[in-house]
Amino acid sequence: GEDVEQSLFLSVREGDSSVINCTYTDSSSTYLYWYKQEPGAGLQLLTYIFSNMDMKQDQRLTVLLNKKDKHLSLRIADTQTGDSAIYFCAESGASGTYKYIFGTGTRLKVLA
Amino acid sequence: NAGVTQTPKFQVLKTGQSMTLQCAQDMNHEYMSWYRQDPGMGLRLIHYSVGAGITDQGEVPNGYNVSRSTTEDFPLRLLSAAPSQTSVYFCASTQGDRAEAFFGQGTRLTVV
């Protein structure tokens, strides 16, 4: 079945770049997403990429998609303490289905 | 615009008790879903609905019931609570071309 995998933890120093990686299995997904969860809160959409794109940049965020290897990454430039959170990779499944498959989440800790 | 509202935020149940987790959205979204979040396992889909009167099972439906009598409301019922249902529960509504999911703040449930 479909599966989305992420490493569980990442620790970086303030001002460095963070790279969070994700592998997925469902090649029919129309979109792939990165959601951010701050402590005690629900998930919020951080960014997304359409499946026919290789890269998307949005201010400090860069998303890279390698469809051949089914690998998605999120790079956060100039990481700040406010970026400390859990980051979830997700795939949406085929177009018209909203049945997300979420990864396990990567807990990012930013050290001052 | 409140988005997705979940109640209660916290709940403690005894084994065997039943209860209903409430979820309401004011965005007129057709698609709604319930997830549970457990450490190291990401979010897993419990039940979902593609519109009023239509519901279906997700990945982990056992022990839970849902109904969708209106577009706005999608309650989740625990029939006979078990300690394995201790988790954080999130409701989400989804719509639009990029299928962005909007999440509630979550309900932290403990079954003792």
Side-chain angles (χ1 to χ4, degrees):
Chain A
E2 298 91 353
D3 197 14
V4 179
E5 295 188 355
Q6 301 177 237
S7 54
L8 290 180
F9 299 101
L10 176 66
S11 179
V12 301
R13 295 208 172 274
E14 191 174 22
D16 287 350
S17 292
S18 308
V19 179
I20 302 172
N21 295 300
C22 167
T23 57
Y24 62 97
T25 57
D26 187 356
S27 58
S28 69
S29 291
T30 305
Y31 291 97
L32 293 123
Y33 307 86
W34 285 103
Y35 278 81
K36 178 181 180 182
Q37 184 183 31
E38 298 189 0
L43 281 70
Q44 284 193 305
L45 182 65
L46 192 63
T47 187
Y48 67 98
I49 188 167
F50 192 51
S51 58
N52 69 354
M53 296 170 65
D54 298 324
M55 185 181 84
K56 179 180 180 182
Q57 188 140 8
D58 183 1
Q59 299 182 339
R60 292 191 297 122
L61 306 177
T62 303
V63 179
L64 296 177
L65 175 59
N66 181 329
K67 288 193 72 174
K68 175 176 169 290
D69 295 336
K70 295 182 182 173
H71 183 264
L72 183 73
S73 68
L74 173 69
R75 179 178 181 270
I76 305 173
D78 187 25
T79 312
Q80 302 298 305
T81 54
D83 294 323
S84 293
I86 302 176
Y87 292 81
F88 289 92
C89 168
E91 55 179 346
S92 64
S95 178
T97 71
Y98 294 154
K99 293 174 67 176
Y100 277 64
I101 304 294
F102 283 90
T104 53
T106 299
R107 185 179 295 273
L108 174 65
K109 184 173 181 179
V110 183
L111 306 172
Chain B
N1 190 341
V4 179
T5 303
Q6 285 184 241
T7 55
K9 285 189 168 49
F10 301 94
Q11 183 71 50
V12 179
L13 289 179
K14 293 183 178 178
T15 298
Q17 285 185 313
S18 62
M19 80 158 293
T20 299
L21 279 62
Q22 302 292 343
C23 176
Q25 54 99 0
D26 61 2
M27 297 172 283
N28 204 32
H29 288 172
E30 292 295 327
Y31 188 93
M32 296 184 73
S33 50
W34 276 101
Y35 293 87
R36 58 177 289 172
Q37 181 181 20
D38 301 294
M41 301 186 75
L43 276 74
R44 292 181 292 168
L45 182 64
I46 304 171
H47 284 286
Y48 66 98
S49 168
V50 299
I54 306 169
T55 63
D56 206 347
Q57 296 181 350
E59 181 186 355
V60 289
N62 292 340
Y64 308 95
N65 271 356
V66 292
S67 60
R68 184 94 180 271
S69 56
T70 66
T71 299
E72 294 77 20
D73 299 299
F74 190 42
L76 177 73
R77 278 183 289 278
L78 279 71
L79 309 173
S80 177
S84 61
Q85 293 179 302
T86 293
S87 187
V88 181
Y89 291 84
F90 288 100
C91 177
S93 73
T94 308
Q95 193 145 309
D97 291 341
R98 67 182 187 195
E100 178 179 353
F102 294 83
F103 285 83
Q105 292 295 298
T107 296
R108 184 174 294 274
L109 176 69
T110 303
V111 183
V112 297

